[in-house]
Amino acid sequence: MKKTPKKVLGTLGLLVVAATTVFAAFLPLPSASAADTSVVDTITVRVIGNTPSVNITDPGSDEAIAHAQQRISYNYENVDKVTAVLEYTDRDGNPHRDVLGEYPITEDYGTGVLDLNMSSYDYGDYVLKLIGEGINGLEYEDAITLYYYPVTTEIEYNEETNDTFAILDYDLTDEDIDTLVLEIYDENGNLMSPLSPIRVKRGTTRVELPLEEYNTPEGKYTIRTTAYDASGTALYKPFDMILNYTIHVPSPDVPNTGAMTFGNLNISKTDYLITGLIIFSIVGVGGIYYITHNNSKRSRKKR
């Protein structure tokens, strides 16, 4: 009669350990816990002063542009009107101050947009001022500098392939532009030949710089882009872009060592499973040994 209860208790113990292990396997990940979930609300508070204020928000100061049409965004406070003024010096050295327009303001504060058209102006450097006039004639002004070029350049670099491209920004409909020439200079001002010059026709906006093809060493280079008309005359001074060229060496692939993984289980949960499996193995082996050993003793006694 004692044999059956011992077997039953041993089996129940094994079932308890197995059930604990299975329970651990189905525990939710920490990311699913409601306690770890947070919601962040961002509240922007604008503090209004008592004095006139005008601030240009876009574009930023010292901006290089290559399109005649520009949209200027600004904020204002406590002003009755905003006056837009464009200041520049012509090619003969004469200063100019053009009033582009006056815009009445009816709210205490707000935002405004100015559509600037520079198609009637030559390429050059310009200072755009927005002047806000408040109560009793008090004024406040903000200014940005616009560098007007026929073409500007940005660099696009692919670290995986070491491919380098010059992205050209200009008015594709400008018939004055016939050819675009890119020159690459090293830190000492030497033209990188035969790597450059590179000539492309109007309509091209992406130009590959074959630095890797010509085994160009790492270093600091100047990418100089100039727009020419059909007669070969430069429309304006070149636009310079600095390139800090580095050669990316891809890391070797990590071999698959065949190590055991546990999917998307976290460490604490994995430890729980391993511990459960160890206990399960020990209890199981111990239980089997105990039952087998007792059966052997009983068989010898019966003999």
Side-chain angles (χ1 to χ4, degrees):
M1 296 296 292
K2 294 181 180 179
K3 179 179 178 181
T4 300
K6 289 181 178 179
K7 287 185 176 181
V8 171
L9 291 174
T11 303
L12 289 175
L14 293 175
L15 291 175
V16 169
V17 175
T20 303
T21 304
V22 173
F23 173 75
F26 288 94
L27 284 175
L29 296 176
S31 59
S33 174
D36 294 335
T37 303
S38 61
V39 178
V40 179
D41 290 332
T42 302
I43 301 176
T44 302
V45 178
R46 181 173 177 179
V47 180
I48 306 301
N50 297 321
T51 58
S53 175
V54 176
N55 294 292
I56 300 174
T57 58
D58 186 59
S61 183
D62 299 335
E63 187 87 2
I65 61 174
H67 298 271
Q69 299 289 341
Q70 295 292 318
R71 172 155 288 196
I72 311 299
S73 301
Y74 59 94
N75 296 331
Y76 59 83
E77 297 174 8
N78 303 313
V79 295
D80 296 328
K81 69 176 179 178
V82 172
T83 302
V85 176
L86 194 64
E87 297 180 351
Y88 63 98
T89 301
D90 63 25
R91 296 182 179 181
D92 296 327
N94 301 313
H96 294 265
R97 187 178 187 274
D98 295 348
V99 178
L100 303 179
E102 296 182 350
Y103 309 96
I105 303 297
T106 57
E107 296 85 6
D108 292 336
Y109 65 93
T111 61
V113 174
L114 167 66
D115 289 322
L116 176 62
N117 185 357
M118 301 187 65
S119 59
S120 60
Y121 292 90
D122 294 330
Y123 300 115
D125 302 341
Y126 296 84
V127 176
L128 174 67
K129 292 182 177 181
L130 294 186
I131 304 171
E133 183 178 331
I135 303 175
N136 298 325
L138 294 176
E139 292 186 349
Y140 183 94
E141 73 175 41
D142 192 18
I144 60 173
T145 302
L146 299 175
Y147 302 102
Y148 187 25
Y149 285 86
V151 59
T152 60
T153 308
E154 291 184 356
I155 301 299
E156 178 184 290
Y157 176 65
N158 189 324
E159 289 188 354
E160 295 181 359
T161 62
N162 286 321
D163 292 334
T164 307
F165 296 89
I167 308 303
L168 307 180
D169 183 29
Y170 60 99
D171 185 358
L172 297 176
T173 64
D174 187 354
E175 296 183 355
D176 290 338
I177 300 176
D178 179 76
T179 306
L180 300 164
V181 177
L182 293 88
E183 297 172 310
I184 304 175
Y185 293 86
D186 63 15
E187 286 187 275
N188 298 319
N190 300 315
L191 178 66
M192 300 294 292
S193 179
L195 173 60
S196 68
I198 303 172
R199 299 177 182 272
V200 296
K201 300 296 288 184
R202 177 168 57 92
T204 304
T205 58
R206 193 168 186 261
V207 180
E208 183 175 4
L209 306 179
L211 301 174
E212 188 177 28
E213 179 182 344
Y214 286 92
N215 297 319
T216 305
E218 294 185 338
K220 184 178 181 180
Y221 297 91
T222 299
I223 312 300
R224 180 164 294 173
T225 309
T226 309
Y228 292 87
D229 61 17
S231 65
T233 302
L235 297 178
Y236 187 54
K237 66 181 181 180
F239 177 83
D240 289 350
M241 181 72 184
I242 300 300
L243 168 63
N244 292 309
Y245 179 60
T246 58
I247 301 174
H248 176 72
V249 179
S251 57
D253 295 335
V254 179
N256 184 359
T257 59
M260 182 183 296
T261 59
F262 292 90
N264 51 356
L265 298 179
N266 56 64
I267 294 176
S268 60
K269 188 174 175 182
T270 302
D271 291 341
Y272 196 173
L273 281 174
I274 293 174
T275 304
L277 290 174
I278 292 174
I279 296 173
F280 178 75
S281 300
I282 294 173
V283 174
V285 173
I288 294 172
Y289 173 79
Y290 176 79
I291 294 172
T292 305
H293 186 68
N294 283 349
N295 288 339
S296 299
K297 285 183 177 181
R298 290 190 181 92
S299 296
R300 287 197 296 270
K301 287 180 179 180
K302 288 180 180 180
R303 292 177 185 176

